[in-house]
Each structure stands twice: as structure tokens, then as C-alpha cells.
């Protein structure tokens, strides 16, 4: 679905990433979105209002007390006439002002006066992003329904590395599309599992694996980015909840299955979780102690339910498209094809998790997409890119 004719009020605050706002405007204008830009005083230090004006093909607002601007369109009207307010880049300072409800310039006043949804794309130094003050502001803002896209992780202009880079403009456009309900998966429901499961041995010990949840979380975010209503069922991970979707936190495979069942019906299910295949038959109710001279304890294991196979089993509750992963260390294609048939899923993304591949817990993935009709080899890509490609492929199924 197109964004043509939608109205966006774009607030550009001051940061080195402000130049990327120009690319964002270019992408939006290419889709015939009407963009009205507001440039903060600090933003003006990084890009000119003339550039913004040329690209938006509309006057740029900068001043709260401009009589001329106020006579053309009052700032309250400005904050209400848009379909969505987008802050890109959103500095730590502007986020703090939003969290505190300050209105000491045009940008913060518009953000306080609006009755529309707000999407922020934070960009700042990694320490500022990780500072407890910024974390608390984000919790407060997201709790009030403000949507967040990014920041990305990577090298920064200040020569540091970490989260804090402005999300790439195409990702911001996708977030806008999703918020405006205009993506190709609008109206579709998706269920995604992600991360490891923890299977308790006793109150302090558990069986786990190296899954980071990065691939599953990225898929959930990419599907939401195309407009799907996504429930992400996540095992224990160190990742933040992606904004704009429903997240269910679980520990064990049994809890994951129950959360998946509760999220049905769904049109799409993607099982990216590295579910423990076995759990301890009987979890000890107390910490197992070392007894002097005694043999180490023997753990007796029982199989866990197979969530993917359960979701993919024929029946009225089966999502139209069920996708699994196959983590293999050898004979990738043959194992993946056999697994797809055995679990009755439509597609399998097979990845090589052999020691040295760097895939499990890493940032990149190299997959085969196995369907009944074909096997495709994808190049080694960042997990976010694998997620975007997969989401596009899923959208193509629902477009046909
Ligand atoms: N899966 C699941 N529930 C389980 C085990 C696996 O939903 N109890 C899903 C995973 O999310 C993944 C797919 O099944 O999408 C494949 O998991 P994998 O561990 O690679 O395969 P297994 O079924 O465990 O087979 P094997 O141990 O023979 O490799």
C-alpha cells in the first residue's frame, strides 16, 4: 500500500545525523508524501533550512514566536494537521524534553500539543544512549505510546562503537508505513518465536544454548515494518523489545508453546527460536549439592514439545505460511529438506552453525531458503538484512 498523499510533520533536531533527514525526505517525497519540516536551532547548525525546503517543496518552520509563521499556520494546527509526527534525528536532549513535557521551542511545543502518533529515531553518542537518564526517558516515552525506530549499532562519528547511530532512512520509512497501516502486510497477523529457551535443572541451574535472539527479533521487527500485527514470543535474551509489537517473555519450551497457542490465529508463523530439544525430567526443588565422595548427579531428560511442528500441523488453526529454521553443522541442504517435510512447514531457512561460522550469537547469517518447489542460496548478510528479505518474500505471498 502506498503512502501517497499522507502528511508527515518531520522534526529535525541537532546532531551529526541530521544530514540523513534529507535522504529521509527524498525517500518520502518519492512516494508523494507531503512533508512539513521543523528544524530546531541546533539542527540549523548541521543542515540548512534551505536544503530541507528544497527537498520538502514546502516552507520550513524554525521559530516558536515567528509572527509570519504563526499567521500562516499556528503551531497547534501544525501539530494536528499531520497524520504522523516523526523526529529524526531525535537527540538525547529532545527526548529528555519530550519526557519532561517541556515546550521551550517550536519542536518541543509541537510534540506536546499534538494529538497524533509520534515516531522518534534516536541518534546520539553510545554513552548518551546507554545513560540511565536516557534509558528512563525512553521507558517513559514508550510507556506513553511514543514509537521508536533504531538506533542502529555501529561505528559512530565520535570514533566510538555501539548503539546510537540513526536508523537508516529506508528503515524509518518502513516504520512510518507500519504506523500508518500502509504496509503490504497491513491487516495480517504474524507470530515469531525468538531466542533460546532455559530449561531448569534446579532453582539456580538451567540448560540453555548460544542463541542471541537477534535473527528472530529482526524478523519480528521487519514484519511489523511491513504493517503486520506481530506477536513476538521471546526466550531470555539481552535485547530490548522491538517497538510497535506485542512481546511475550517466556523461559521454557512449554511456556513458549503456550504463548504461541495464545497468539493464534495468525496468518504467518516464523519459528526462529532455538528451542531446547529436551528438558530435565524432574526439576529439583532445591539446589543440588555436591556430596563429598559421591558421583556427579545424572540428569534424566525428556523431549520438549516441537513448537514449529505443532503450529504447522494440518488443521483450522494452522497459519497460512509457517516458516522454520534449521540449524545444521553438516549436509545443510539435505537436512533442511528433510526437516521441512518432517515438520510440515512451508519454508525452512537453513543456516550453518558449525563452530567457526560465527552465526550462532553473531551478527551475520548465511541461509538457504528451502521450499517445496525450490532451494535458494542467499549471500552472507547482516541478520537485519536477512530479516528484511524474508519479510519481503512473505509479503509477496500475501500479495498474490
Ligand atoms: N523448533 C521448535 N520447537 C522445538 C525444536 C525446534 O519450534 N522443540 C523449531 C526451531 O524454532 C526451528 C526448527 O524447529 O525453526 C528447527 O530446529 P532445529 O533445532 O534446527 O532442529 P530439530 O528439530 O531440533 O532437529 P535436529 O535436532 O535433528 O537438528
Amino acid at each position: 500500500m502506498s503512502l501517497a498523499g499522507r502528511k508527515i510533520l518531520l522534526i529535525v533536531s541537532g546532531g551529526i545525523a541530521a544530514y540523513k533527514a534529507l535522504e529521509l525526505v527524498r525517500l518520502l517525497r518519492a512516494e508523494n508524501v507531503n512533508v512539513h519540516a521543523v528544524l530546531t536551532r541546533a539542527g540549523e547548525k548541521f543542515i540548512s533550512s534551505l536544503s530541507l525546503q528544497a527537498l520538502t517543496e514546502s516552507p520550513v518552520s524554525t521559530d516558536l514566536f515567528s509572527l509570519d509563521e504563526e499567521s500562516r499556520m499556528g503551531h497547534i494546527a501544525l501539530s494536528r494537521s499531520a497524520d504522523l509526527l516523526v523526529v529524526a534525528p531525535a537527540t538525547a536532549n529532545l527526548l529528555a524534553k519530550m519526557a519532561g513535557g517541556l515546550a521551550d521551542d517550536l519542536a518541543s511545543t509541537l510534540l506536546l500539543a499534538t494529538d497524533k502518533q509520534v515516531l522518534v529515531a534516536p541518534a546520539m553518542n553510545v554513552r548518551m544512549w546507554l545513560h540511565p537518564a536516557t534509558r528512563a526517558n525512553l521507558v517513559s516515552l514508550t510507556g506513553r505510546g511514543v514509537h521508536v525506530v533504531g538506533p542502529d549499532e555501529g561505528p559512530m562519528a565520535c570514533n566510538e562503537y555501539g548503539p546510537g547511530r540513526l536508523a537508516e532512512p529506508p528503515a524509518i520509512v518502513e516504520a512510518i508505513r507500519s504506523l500508518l497501516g500502509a504496509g503490504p502486510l497491513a491487516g495480517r497477523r504474524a507470530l515469531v518465536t525468538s531466542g533460546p529457551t532455559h530449561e531448569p535443572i534446579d532453582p539456580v541451574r538451567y540448560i540453555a544454548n548460544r542463541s542471541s535472539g537477534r535473527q528472530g527479533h529482526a524478523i519480528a521487527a521487519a514484519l511489523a515494518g511491513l504493517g503486520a500485527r506481530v506477536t513476538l514470543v521471546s526466550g531470555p535474551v539481552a535485547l530490548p523489545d522491538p517497538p510497535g509489537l506485542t512481546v511475550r517473555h517466556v523461559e521454557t519450551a512449554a511456556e513458549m508453546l503456550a504463548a504461541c497457542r495464545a497468539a493464534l490465529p495468525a496468518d504467518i508463523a516464523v519459528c526462529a527460536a532455538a528451542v531446547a530439544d529436551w528438558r530435565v525430567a524432574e526439576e529439583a526443588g532445591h539446589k543440588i549439592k555436591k556430596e563429598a565422595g559421591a558421583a556427579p548427579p545424572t540428569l534424566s531428560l525428556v523431549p520438549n514439545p516441537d513448537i514449529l511442528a505443532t503450529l504447522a500441523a494440518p488443521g483450522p488453526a494452522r497459519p497460512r505460511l509457517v516458516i522454520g529454521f534449521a540449524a545444521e553443522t553438516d549436509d545443510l541442504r539435505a537436512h533442511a529438506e528433510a526437516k521441512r517435510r518432517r515438520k510440515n512447514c512451508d519454508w525452512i531457512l537453513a543456516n550453518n552453525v558449525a563452530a567457526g561460522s560465527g552465526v550462532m550469537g553473531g551478527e551475520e547469517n548465511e541461509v538457504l531458503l528451502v521450499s517445496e518447489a525450490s532451494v535458494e542460496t542467499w549471500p552472507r548478510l547482516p541478520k537485519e538484512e536477512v530479516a528484511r528479505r524474508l519479510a519481503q518474500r512473505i509479503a509477496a505471498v500475501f500479495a498474490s
Side-chain angles (χ1 to χ4, degrees), residues 96 125 195 200 286 333 350 380 392:
N125 168 272
H286 55 86
R333 180 176 173 158
R380 194 175 179 91
Q392 295 289 356

Side-chain angles (χ1 to χ4, degrees), residues 126-149:
V126 55
R127 294 279 151 228
M128 293 167 80
W129 173 247
L130 296 174
H131 194 284
T134 307
R135 307 255 46 82
N137 289 336
L138 255 295
V139 169
S140 156
L141 290 171
T142 50
R144 283 183 228 154
V146 169
H147 303 275
V148 185
V149 53

Side-chain angles (χ1 to χ4, degrees), residues 52 67 80 102 110 184 223 227 238 284 305-306 343 352 356 363 382 384:
L52 263 181
L67 285 178
R80 307 262 171 97
L102 297 190
L110 293 171
L223 290 170
D306 191 314
K343 300 202 183 200
N352 184 342
E363 289 176 11
E384 287 70 19

Side-chain angles (χ1 to χ4, degrees), residues 16 195 397:
I16 188 72
V397 170

Side-chain angles (χ1 to χ4, degrees), residues 193 253 270-278 304-309 323-328 339 342-343 348:
T193 69
V270 183
C271 291
V275 183
D277 287 319
W278 306 279
N304 264 331
D306 191 314
I307 297 164
L308 174 60
I323 303 168
F325 274 76
E328 309 290 349
K339 198 168 283 182
R342 192 168 70 244
K343 300 202 183 200
I348 282 268

Side-chain angles (χ1 to χ4, degrees), residues 82-131:
D83 296 311
L84 178 71
L85 270 65
V86 177
V87 190
T91 58
N93 185 54
L94 186 50
L95 292 172
K97 284 207 236 178
M98 289 171 71
L102 297 190
D104 64 351
D105 65 358
L106 182 61
S108 52
T109 303
L110 293 171
L111 286 160
L112 198 60
T114 190
D115 58 354
K116 294 296 175 347
Q117 294 202 93
V118 177
L119 171 70
V120 297
M124 65 197 72
N125 168 272
V126 55
R127 294 279 151 228
M128 293 167 80
W129 173 247
L130 296 174
H131 194 284

